[in-house]
Amino acid sequence: MGVRSYTAEFESPVAPSRLFNASVLHLHEIASKIEMPTLVKGGVVIVEGDGGVGTIKEYHFPPVYGDSKPVRERVEELDKENFMCKCSVVEGGTKGIGYKSASNKVSFEATANGGSVCKLVGEFEELEGLEYTEEELSKRKEGKLATYKAVDAYLQANPSDYA
């Protein structure tokens, strides 16, 4: 049992403000418009709050992931000026079965060419007697990263959306 973490990043020609706006502040709106293999179409709902700190978002996953219970995340930190958000899982999915606690932090930093670098840090505490393999960690990381890459692809194809 221990705390495990992963990091990932990718570069995009899309400005950090647009990526942050679409993937953090308005994912509940954009999810039904984009191709996201990790989420059911229209699978993000704000169940409590106004999008700021304390807001609870619910994510719906396809049955291909085995346990397809919705996951609820709470916005723990939100910095709109520096394009950063940190959320923690509060219930659902495999919480209590596959891990004790989990959080994800995403930030978008400007690049010299007007684009951005999306940086993702995931951290979770394993349950006693359970240890994730590197392959399982990689699947977690790639699943989270896929959402941001799907939003990025949508914004590149629709340059006036979330501008």
Side-chain angles (χ1 to χ4, degrees):
M1 178 173 94
V3 175
R4 301 291 301 267
S5 64
Y6 58 83
T7 60
E9 65 180 59
F10 72 93
E11 194 165 331
S12 168
V14 177
S17 59
R18 284 186 69 217
L19 269 172
F20 179 79
N21 192 19
S23 64
V24 173
L25 302 179
H26 296 282
L27 185 60
H28 60 285
E29 297 169 0
I30 197 174
S32 63
K33 300 177 187 178
I34 62 177
E35 181 67 32
M36 290 193 338
T38 58
L39 295 177
V40 173
K41 191 172 181 113
V44 180
V45 179
I46 292 180
V47 294
E48 184 180 310
D50 61 2
V53 173
T55 293
I56 306 289
K57 297 179 183 180
E58 187 171 270
Y59 297 81
H60 296 265
F61 299 96
V64 73
Y65 288 102
D67 182 356
S68 59
K69 290 186 219 171
V71 171
R72 288 189 174 193
E73 288 187 343
R74 177 185 300 114
V75 176
E76 302 291 352
E77 298 175 35
L78 184 66
D79 185 340
K80 294 179 183 180
E81 292 176 11
N82 293 303
F83 312 119
M84 185 278 300
C85 181
K86 181 177 180 181
C87 294
S88 63
V89 175
V90 292
E91 69 178 82
T94 59
K95 183 174 182 180
I97 301 167
Y99 56 87
K100 187 174 181 178
S101 63
S103 66
N104 292 288
K105 180 179 176 180
V106 65
S107 61
F108 303 93
E109 298 176 6
T111 60
N113 65 0
S116 59
V117 175
C118 171
K119 295 185 176 187
L120 179 65
V121 178
E123 189 172 275
F124 62 99
E125 185 178 356
E126 296 169 318
L127 290 170
E128 190 171 332
L130 181 66
E131 190 171 317
Y132 280 87
T133 65
E134 289 305 314
E135 183 180 336
E136 290 167 325
L137 284 174
S138 182
K139 283 182 183 179
R140 257 182 198 278
K141 174 176 73 175
E142 292 306 318
K144 279 304 236 185
L145 204 54
T147 299
Y148 297 105
K149 287 182 176 182
V151 172
D152 177 60
Y154 174 86
L155 294 175
Q156 288 185 52
N158 298 277
S160 62
D161 285 8
Y162 301 95

